Structure formats: C-alpha cells, structure tokens
Amino acid sequence: MEAERTKQKPCPVKVTVDLISGKWKPNILYCLLDRTQRFGELQRQIPGISRRILTLQLRELERDQLIIRMAYSEPIKVEYALTEYGRSLVPILLTMRDWGEVYLARHEQQPVFMS
Amino acid sequence: MEAERTKQKPCPVKVTVDLISGKWKPNILYCLLDRTQRFGELQRQIPGISRRILTLQLRELERDQLIIRMAYSEPIKVEYALTEYGRSLVPILLTMRDWGEVYLARHEQQPVFMS
DNA sequence: CAGGATCCGGCGAGATACTG
DNA sequence: CAGTATCTCGCCGGATCCTG
C-alpha cells in the first residue's frame, strides 16, 4: 500500500458526478429534494424501477452519507431523507433540475435538432 | 409510435446527469472548462484513458452538442471545445468541481469516516 | 496525430421468487 | 411493507493492432 507517490489527484468533477450517477440515483435524489419519502412512495414515483434495484441504489446513497434510512416499527415503514451532507448537494441538484427542464422543453417538440 | 399518452415526463435531474456521466466525460468536461484542447492534450491529462475510449466519449459529447470538434490540416491536429450550449453547463460544472474538491480534502486524510 | 476495427470480459441492472 | 436470494444478460469500457 501507499505506492505511487506520483499519484495525481482525482478529477473533482468526476468525484461529484460519480456519487450521483447510477441508473436511478438522480431520480431518487430528485424525489428527496423537498421532502422525506417512504420506500413505497419512491417506488411509485419512479416508474420502471424494481424493489431490488431501488434498495441497492438507496444503500449506495446511504453508504456515501448522502441520505439516511429511518425504520419505524409502530406503523411499519421505512423513510429516506437527505442528510445534512446530502443537502450540500441541493444547489447543484436544483441547477441541474432547471437545466434539464430547459433541455426537455427544447427537445419535446423537436424530435432531433433544434431550430 | 406515439403510444402512451400517459407517458410521464422524464426526471430533469436525470436528463442532465446522463449527459455528463459516462466513465470519462466529467474529466473531459473538466479539462475543457477553461480552454480549447487538442486530442493528445486531453489524453495526456486524463491518465488511464485509451485513444479509443477517449474518441468514443468525445463523439457522444459532440453528438449531444456539448462540445465541438475542429480538425485542422495545416499542422495536422484536432481541437475540442465547449459549444455555446455546452457553456451553459459551466456553472453546474464549476459548482461540482468545488464540491468535489471539498469532498477530496475531507477524504484524503481520513480513510473512511469523518470526525 | 488522431483515430477505426476487432475481440473480449466484468459489472451493473433486470426478472422472478421468497420472507421477517 | 420493505426488503433479500439467485440467476441471467447486455453493454460499456479495455487491450491490441491497424491506418489516412
């Protein structure tokens, strides 16, 4: 271990992108932007995702400290929310959301190219 | 075609993330943030990437209109730069770069968890 | 110098079935 | 309700060699 003294530091943009990429992570983070959500709610709001994959993606986000899992026994349920650390990504997520909406508006009428 | 009237609109965050994710796209965009770069320069600045993969990633970014390819014959060379459209992503990229640098500073000393 | 052509392997994601 | 256990597959990315 500790080899490669010439180890050059990773690209900071890549570091950030890697944490939020993954097939369904953007959707999950988008859903958690404004409120805490239950497992089932997330699954319903993300059409096409299976419980298994949703679980895996949530586990990774949790491992990276971006979200937190809260299990309750009273009414049996599990809730997910952004952590304080995850909240530091909110500005980025909001900007990406806005950018993406412009992108979608631009592409929904024009099938391929823009005017 | 034109099926599914109940087609619900894609997650705008995912749309944006998808355009800039891909194994090496964050690195490429990071390199093109402040200046135009030649193919060889990009390859040298992104250790570990092969010419083939670099080409493929560049082609995708070009197809998505985020970068432009400029080939010259005089001194034979090819330059890549962000398009005007790609420049609209700069604020996001800069914020991600800053966030990533904080992340790296936080993780370089502490192998696993923070204090 | 900046690619294209081929071949190949791994890993993330999906389908399905079972459970505390 | 919110998972876990298997099995499977496609495709993205990598290695290597060739070229205008």
Side-chain angles (χ1 to χ4, degrees):
Chain A
M1 75 274 294
E2 194 227 316
E4 309 182 30
R5 177 130 322 252
T6 54
K7 184 67 153 297
Q8 74 178 63
K9 65 176 176 184
C11 171
V13 174
K14 179 167 175 51
V15 164
T16 308
V17 172
D18 282 352
L19 285 177
I20 66 179
S21 58
K23 186 101 180 260
W24 304 97
K25 286 183 188 173
N27 305 71
I28 294 171
L29 294 171
Y30 176 72
C31 289
L32 294 180
L33 265 179
D34 19 54
R35 62 187 181 89
T36 292
Q37 299 238 47
R38 298 182 50 178
F39 183 88
E41 289 179 311
L42 288 172
Q43 196 185 6
R44 251 173 281 115
Q45 287 177 59
I46 307 176
I49 196 174
S50 68
R51 271 178 305 211
R52 184 179 113 79
I53 298 302
L54 177 55
T55 300
L56 289 179
Q57 300 274 300
L58 287 169
R59 290 282 177 277
E60 289 188 18
L61 289 170
E62 191 189 3
R63 178 205 55 187
D64 294 333
Q65 323 261 337
L66 297 183
I67 66 172
I68 186 173
R69 193 186 102 112
M70 299 166 292
Y72 301 95
S73 303
E74 184 49 19
I76 174 173
K77 66 174 178 179
V78 176
E79 289 186 341
Y80 290 92
L82 291 179
T83 58
E84 194 56 34
Y85 190 49
R87 291 224 153 269
S88 67
L89 276 176
V90 168
I92 292 176
L93 295 172
L94 288 178
T95 313
M96 292 182 106
R97 180 200 60 181
D98 295 345
W99 196 93
E101 276 167 356
V102 171
Y103 178 94
L104 287 173
R106 191 190 193 187
H107 285 68
E108 61 185 4
Q109 304 292 10
Q110 293 84 341
V112 185
F113 293 100
M114 66 296 132
S115 59
Chain B
M1 73 280 285
E2 195 226 316
E4 310 183 31
R5 175 130 324 251
T6 53
K7 185 65 153 299
Q8 75 176 60
K9 65 176 177 184
C11 170
V13 174
K14 179 166 176 50
V15 164
T16 309
V17 172
D18 283 352
L19 286 177
I20 66 179
S21 59
K23 185 102 179 258
W24 304 97
K25 287 184 189 173
N27 306 71
I28 294 171
L29 294 171
Y30 175 72
C31 288
L32 294 179
L33 265 180
D34 19 55
R35 62 187 183 90
T36 291
Q37 299 238 44
R38 297 182 51 178
F39 184 87
E41 288 179 311
L42 288 172
Q43 195 184 6
R44 251 173 281 115
Q45 288 176 59
I46 307 176
I49 196 174
S50 69
R51 272 183 306 231
R52 183 180 112 81
I53 298 302
L54 177 55
T55 301
L56 289 179
Q57 300 274 299
L58 287 168
R59 290 283 176 277
E60 289 188 18
L61 289 170
E62 190 188 4
R63 178 204 56 188
D64 295 333
Q65 322 262 336
L66 297 184
I67 67 173
I68 185 172
R69 192 187 103 114
M70 298 166 292
Y72 301 95
S73 302
E74 182 51 20
I76 173 172
K77 66 174 179 179
V78 177
E79 290 185 342
Y80 290 92
L82 291 179
T83 59
E84 195 57 33
Y85 189 47
R87 290 227 154 267
S88 67
L89 276 176
V90 168
I92 292 176
L93 295 171
L94 288 178
T95 313
M96 293 183 105
R97 181 198 60 180
D98 295 345
W99 196 94
E101 276 167 357
V102 171
Y103 178 95
L104 287 172
R106 191 190 195 189
H107 285 69
E108 61 185 4
Q109 303 294 7
Q110 292 84 340
V112 185
F113 292 101
M114 67 295 130
S115 58

